[in-house]
Amino acid sequence: MRDARTLATTAGLMLAFVVAVNLPYAALISLFGYDDVLREPPGEVLTRFAGGGEPLVLAWAGFAAAALSFALLSPRIEHAAGLSAGWAGPASAVAQFAGLSRWVFAVPVLAAAYVGGDASERAGAVAAYQALHGYLGVGIGETL
């Protein structure tokens, strides 16, 4: 049995993690209509993203950072529970971070090109968004 202090500390960190993930998630729901917005056509997603401005990008950054923080927490959880799959938690955190970070680094540029561009730029922004969403979002962030 693990000592009570280790278990209590780990439980407290897990609670802090849940709060840290849900605060930006709630902001994404409020600012962007996440995750329902992902069922909309890409042009609608990019237009709504552009309308969210800096607060929306910051919410995505917070969500990605919270996901990445699981890389630090998961080994402690495994230790407290007496488990030994030490690579799985950090690997999943990095995959989730990679998927979410597209919203911080790539989608703002694509949204600006879509909203302010001509037909060719809009088409390019949609194609790039679809590729990134499929690869980083579905492929890396959700599948891995």
Side-chain angles (χ1 to χ4, degrees), residues 49-121:
F49 189 93
E54 188 174 338
L56 181 55
V57 175
L58 290 174
W60 278 111
F63 196 41
L68 187 59
S69 74
F70 191 70
L72 302 173
L73 179 59
S74 62
R76 183 177 190 100
I77 294 169
E78 290 177 1
H79 174 72
L83 301 173
S84 62
W87 62 271
S92 69
V94 170
Q96 189 68 30
F97 175 78
L100 293 172
S101 63
R102 76 188 185 278
W103 294 100
V104 178
F105 300 110
V107 176
V109 175
L110 298 175
Y114 184 83
V115 170
D118 61 23
S120 175
E121 291 169 315

Side-chain angles (χ1 to χ4, degrees), residues 1 3 12 15 25 30 64 67 71 78 91-92 111 127-128 130 132:
M1 175 102 194
D3 70 66
L15 182 59
Y25 187 76
S30 173
E78 290 177 1
S92 69
Q130 288 174 313
L132 286 172

